[in-house]
């Protein structure tokens, strides 16, 4: 896992945000799903594999508290510098998201994952990831996933990915109901289309 962290660290060290293959300026696809949750602006949110995403700016415009996770300490350090003044609203968690979460992590209202889950390729890691989603969320809490769809690329950032359709997500979330789903093609900074599946789930028990 150390090698994987180094892989991502290297990318964040040498690449300006705007040149990252997954860089987005427009967060409307995620916000569309968030806006289906009436209370999101007052919630506690967990962003897995946040990278250096500008989505954090959007989220911090609300009153939400954030847990920002990434495997890459380089990405986390960049964000820490940027949000020095917001530290009272942010909890930092530099760890592999396919490992159990710290037992003292307070329950959260919303889990957000864009382009992270699809990097987990073995069943044990995927199983633990979904255990983390399920155990960290309150009953009535929500999870948003944006992952490469079955029409999507098979590799990203030089790594193999596992692609998803809505059925795959549902099978991994037995205690959740699916509230919304949508296919969306993201055009990356090189102009290449990247088909994603976006989905919002609610934990019902
Ligand atoms: C394609 S980037 C997406 C970043 C961000 N979510 C976004 O939408 O801009 C994938 C991110 O997941 C992180 N990552 C990859 N594998 C991870 C893991 N097992 N645990 C936690 N973070 C991971 C990487 O360091 C990277 O920041």
């Amino acid at each position: 896992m150390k090698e994987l962290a180094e892989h991502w660290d290297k990318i964040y060290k040498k690449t300006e945000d705007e040149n990252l293959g997954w860089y987005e300026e427009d967060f409307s696809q995620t916000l569309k799903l968030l806006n289906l949750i009436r209370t999101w602006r007052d919630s506690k949110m967990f962003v897995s594999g946040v990278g250096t995403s500008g989505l954090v700016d959007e989220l911090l415009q609300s009153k939400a508290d954030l847990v920002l996770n990434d495997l890459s300490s380089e990405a986390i350090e960049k964000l820490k510098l940027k949000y020095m003044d917001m530290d009272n609203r942010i909890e930092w968690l530099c760890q592999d998201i396919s490992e159990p979460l710290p037992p003292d992590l307070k329950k959260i209202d919303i889990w957000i994952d864009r382009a992270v889950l699809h990097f987990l390729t073995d069943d044990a890691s995927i199983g633990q990831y979904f255990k983390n989603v399920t155990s960290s969320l309150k009953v009535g809490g929500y999870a948003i996933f944006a992952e490469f769809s079955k029409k999507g690329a098979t590799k990203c950032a030089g790594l193999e990915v596992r692609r998803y359709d809505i059925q795959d997500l549902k099978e991994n979330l037995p205690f959740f109901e699916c509230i919304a789903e949508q296919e969306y093609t993201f055009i990356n900074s090189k102009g290449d289309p990247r088909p994603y599946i976006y989905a919002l789930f609610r934990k019902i028990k």
Side-chain angles (χ1 to χ4, degrees), residues 3-196:
E3 281 155 33
L4 192 58
E6 283 169 0
H7 173 82
W8 287 104
D9 280 345
K10 233 183 260 168
I11 292 177
Y12 283 113
K13 222 174 258 176
K14 68 170 193 220
T15 319
E16 292 298 324
D17 285 355
E18 299 74 27
N19 296 327
L20 294 168
W22 51 91
Y23 172 76
E24 59 175 0
E25 256 174 1
D26 173 6
F27 305 100
S28 48
Q29 202 56 31
T30 299
L31 290 170
K32 218 191 279 177
L33 293 181
L34 264 183
N35 285 330
L36 296 176
I37 308 167
R38 199 176 34 84
T39 52
W40 80 262
R41 289 185 178 77
D42 293 303
S43 65
K44 185 173 176 78
M45 308 168 99
F46 187 103
V47 187
S48 76
V50 60
T52 51
S53 173
L55 177 65
V56 176
D57 288 336
E58 293 279 342
L59 301 180
L60 286 172
Q61 282 177 35
S62 74
K63 286 191 262 163
D65 288 327
L66 308 179
V67 182
L68 299 181
N69 156 257
D70 208 284
L71 178 66
S72 162
S73 55
E74 190 66 28
I76 292 283
E77 289 308 318
K78 280 191 179 185
L79 283 193
K80 277 188 179 170
L81 267 183
K82 190 170 170 191
Y83 297 114
M84 253 187 299
D85 301 340
M86 295 281 194
D87 233 25
N88 57 333
R89 289 176 57 201
I90 303 176
E91 204 174 311
W92 304 100
L93 187 60
C94 190
Q95 74 152 70
D96 179 351
I97 201 58
S98 68
E99 296 290 330
L101 293 173
D104 58 347
L105 183 78
K106 293 229 173 68
K107 290 266 185 195
I108 53 150
D109 304 294
I110 301 173
W111 179 286
I112 300 183
D113 181 312
R114 173 177 178 265
V116 186
L117 164 64
H118 63 216
F119 286 106
L120 306 179
T121 50
D122 67 283
D123 290 346
S125 299
I126 294 167
Q128 183 59 50
Y129 172 94
F130 281 105
K131 269 190 198 159
N132 287 344
V133 174
T134 305
S135 64
S136 62
L137 275 169
K138 294 173 188 164
V139 174
Y142 294 84
I144 291 175
F145 301 98
E147 314 302 334
F148 279 3
S149 79
K150 294 270 158 103
K151 296 179 203 151
T154 54
K155 279 184 124 182
C156 179
L159 300 171
E160 298 288 336
V161 301
R162 188 186 280 201
R163 299 171 301 167
Y164 283 82
D165 60 22
I166 193 66
Q167 202 47 38
D168 298 328
L169 291 171
K170 284 180 181 170
E171 279 165 18
N172 281 294
L173 293 161
F175 302 119
F176 291 73
E177 62 178 349
C178 180
I179 305 283
E181 56 173 291
Q182 192 177 21
E183 294 197 7
Y184 169 75
T185 300
F186 168 68
I187 308 293
N188 73 13
S189 50
K190 292 189 191 130
D192 298 327
R194 290 284 179 265
Y196 275 74

